[in-house]
Amino acid sequence: MSDKMTLQVLANHARAAAENMAHTLHRTAHSAFVKETQDFTVMLMDRHGDTFAVPMDLGATWYPGLSYRRAIDMVEDYRPGDVAFTNDPYSGHVATHAPDTHLWKPVFHDGEIVAWTGGHIHNTDMGGAVPASLSRSLTEIHQEGVRFPPMKLVNEGVFDAQILRIMETNVRKPALNIGDIKALVGALNTGERKVHAMLARFGGQGFLSGVAALKDQAEAQAREILRGIPDGDYEFADYADEDSDFANPCRLRLTLRIRGDSAELDFTGSDPQLGSSLNVPSGGDPRHTILLVGVYYVLYTLNPRLLLNTGLTRPFTCIAPEGTVLNPVAPAAVGMRSLTCARLRSVIFGAFSQAIPERMPAAPAGNNCIVNVMTHDERSGQKVIAAVNPVVGGGGGMPHRDGTNGSGADAAYLKNTPIEITETEVPVEFVKYSLARDTGGAGRWRGGLATEMAFRVFAPDTRITARNRDRSRFRPWGVLGGRAAGLAEMVVNPGTPDARRMGSADTAILQPGDVLSIRSAGGGGRGDPMSRETWRVAQDVARGHVSKEAARRDYGVVMRGGEVDETATAALRAKARTHDGHFHFGPERDAFEAQWTDEAYACLTDILMALPVHWRFFVKTEVFRRMESRKGAEGVNAAYTETRERFPDIPHPHTHAEAAE
């Protein structure tokens, strides 16, 4: 299909088909997490399983470059009416944690498969050790719920009753799971009908060649963007607060190498595979969509007319060494991979910020916390498990405006559920749901404000999971003179003598009358805050976004009686010191990196990568334990020497190399 106009018509048809699929799922889903929060995807795929169309108005925005090829090939003898599925992160590398159940359906034309419809829903619970199946504290995939490798769920239009029985037996709220799955099957059927309509309009060969051309066009658009970015090597690192419960930071490191119209993302130097569920199961795929989500955001920001399909992935090659946090080996737990993915996006944004500083924002909050409640509903006498609301932080300050409040750029697809609906479905009482003052990073363009939510529970032993809680230690960074944002926090019974600060914990058990308060991080600021117009600061104060104290401290603006004292402000700003350097990370990260320098981490990486995978996280933990009074590469070497003396069974690197041969 060489006619550009016809190709655009096909693109419009495909996009409309994907939107129809999304509306079908959205309107028929059972769980609040799918029908309200919209944690789902749908897509059209070519005959090989590569995505060529996704919706833009509904659902998650992670997967425009997803390929189902490996999962498709693990199922044999597809027939009309079949639907296959999987939720196993280590089978086919389509699902990336157990609650994400992916389905796909073949579309036949003249007896041959010409396309696939597919998508996923995030099930509220898949069984396992904790309600909602996900917690940072889990250590192996078997704790994260029942898993199904790629297999047929529907055979020629008939559901497999045995599979449904297995799911009913193993999950906590089977009606929600099966209802959502059937809604997704309905969406796949909608997509199938739409593909047949396209086949009727464009013909079989016209459709196939047109789909291939859509992917080629997306590739060309991505390469055009890369040609506009200066060649170079751009290095950046960022941290999740903890690599396991109440433990050490988890570091992600990226070297972005741009050469002409192609780019390499080398994640060498990132942490080893973790003994917690923060691992990201990419399967070693150099173009796995989960490694490239941050890239999609950058590309689409630079060209909002971009076609979103797997063609975008072709100019990029990812290097994620096996046995590291971005390419774990089974049976590593992966349930909280979305927390690490948020930090992964921050790392990608930081690298591109150095390449094209005039066009990139500061860091978004990067901690889209999903709150689930399991409790007893005295009204119905039933046990309830449900998602309450995502607590999403602010967007980073943009080159031309403030960051979005309470809906940080890279997590904005997660919709908030109206409080009235939540209180109807779950026996909780909201006492606060608002934006949090003084949490956006100061800047010429202020970072978006954090979200703060608090609710009271009424039943004993109410269990809370708040997955993706992060940024309680390391702040979202500011750029070009802008300041880092406010930190996240979770508190039980705030403002009382019994208040308990939970750090980065993601689970809690509450008793009748307890109140849980959760606040996200804000977005980083962009540009010198002393250059922000005084009327904007006054407006922020009037709206409750910035306190008078913060206006004076962070912006040099003196407020008297609701008005700006311009004389006092000019004098205060004249004495203010501006921040040098591209990034502002905040005092917590500055203090940490005074000890853990780049050289220290490079030394640690060399040590760990020479060890067998199952030793790496243990050795990392022991080295950190012995670094309290040390710093730099010299300190790491000394700490490792002590570790080997204490644990002589640690294999010598040459022994490991010989065994590998």
Side-chain angles (χ1 to χ4, degrees), residues 299-596:
L299 295 177
Y300 198 77
T301 297
L302 299 176
N303 178 9
R305 302 186 64 174
L306 200 68
L307 286 178
L308 296 175
N309 61 51
T310 51
L312 295 177
T313 68
R314 294 174 182 169
F316 299 91
T317 301
C318 297
I319 299 173
E322 188 177 69
T324 62
V325 65
L326 299 180
N327 184 12
V329 177
V334 298
M336 292 284 288
R337 56 90 174 114
S338 46
L339 188 158
T340 310
C341 287
R343 203 56 53 248
L344 178 59
R345 296 193 295 273
S346 299
V347 169
I348 291 172
F349 298 159
F352 274 98
S353 176
Q354 296 170 76
I356 43 174
E358 72 284 356
R359 304 182 71 182
M360 289 293 294
N367 66 322
N368 50 325
C369 176
I370 311 298
V371 183
N372 289 274
V373 176
M374 187 172 80
T375 189
H376 189 86
D377 191 343
E378 302 295 342
R379 300 168 298 187
S380 64
Q382 301 292 316
K383 188 75 85 174
V384 174
I385 178 171
V388 174
N389 239 321
V391 182
V392 179
M398 301 289 285
H400 57 287
R401 65 169 175 84
D402 293 342
T404 303
N405 292 327
S407 185
D410 58 332
Y413 65 85
L414 289 174
K415 308 301 189 294
N416 63 312
T417 303
I419 287 174
E420 295 81 1
I421 290 177
T422 300
E423 290 184 338
T424 298
E425 295 190 354
V426 187
V428 299
E429 178 189 21
F430 281 86
V431 297
K432 190 172 189 178
Y433 193 39
S434 64
L435 299 174
R437 187 170 62 178
D438 290 341
T439 53
R444 164 66 180 86
W445 296 112
R446 176 179 50 75
L449 300 179
T451 301
E452 190 168 16
M453 179 179 75
F455 59 88
R456 180 177 289 108
V457 305
F458 299 98
D461 299 324
T462 294
R463 299 184 67 182
I464 307 294
T465 60
R467 68 180 174 97
N468 302 337
R469 287 214 60 249
D470 198 42
R471 291 301 199 192
S472 295
R473 178 176 180 184
F474 296 106
R475 300 169 184 266
W477 33 267
V479 295
L480 304 176
R483 305 304 173 89
L487 292 168
E489 70 171 5
M490 183 164 80
V491 184
V492 177
N493 295 324
T496 72
D498 299 326
R500 286 183 286 140
R501 296 191 175 276
M502 304 297 289
S504 288
D506 60 7
T507 61
I509 298 178
L510 306 183
Q511 303 304 332
D514 281 348
V515 172
L516 181 70
S517 174
I518 302 177
R519 188 183 70 211
S520 69
R526 189 181 193 281
D528 182 5
M530 298 301 159
S531 66
R532 185 171 176 84
E533 297 94 329
T534 57
W535 68 266
R536 291 188 190 275
V537 178
Q539 187 178 73
D540 281 342
V541 172
R543 291 175 173 174
H545 295 169
V546 175
S547 66
K548 289 184 178 180
E549 295 76 16
R552 182 185 186 98
R553 179 188 68 238
D554 299 334
Y555 293 94
V557 173
V558 180
M559 301 290 298
R560 301 192 193 282
E563 300 291 333
V564 176
D565 185 329
E566 297 289 357
T567 302
T569 294
L572 185 60
R573 285 186 162 186
K575 295 185 290 185
R577 296 179 59 186
T578 59
H579 173 72
D580 295 327
H582 187 91
F583 298 103
H584 179 258
F585 296 115
E588 300 85 0
R589 176 164 169 173
D590 289 346
F592 176 76
E593 290 187 334
Q595 178 186 31
W596 279 96

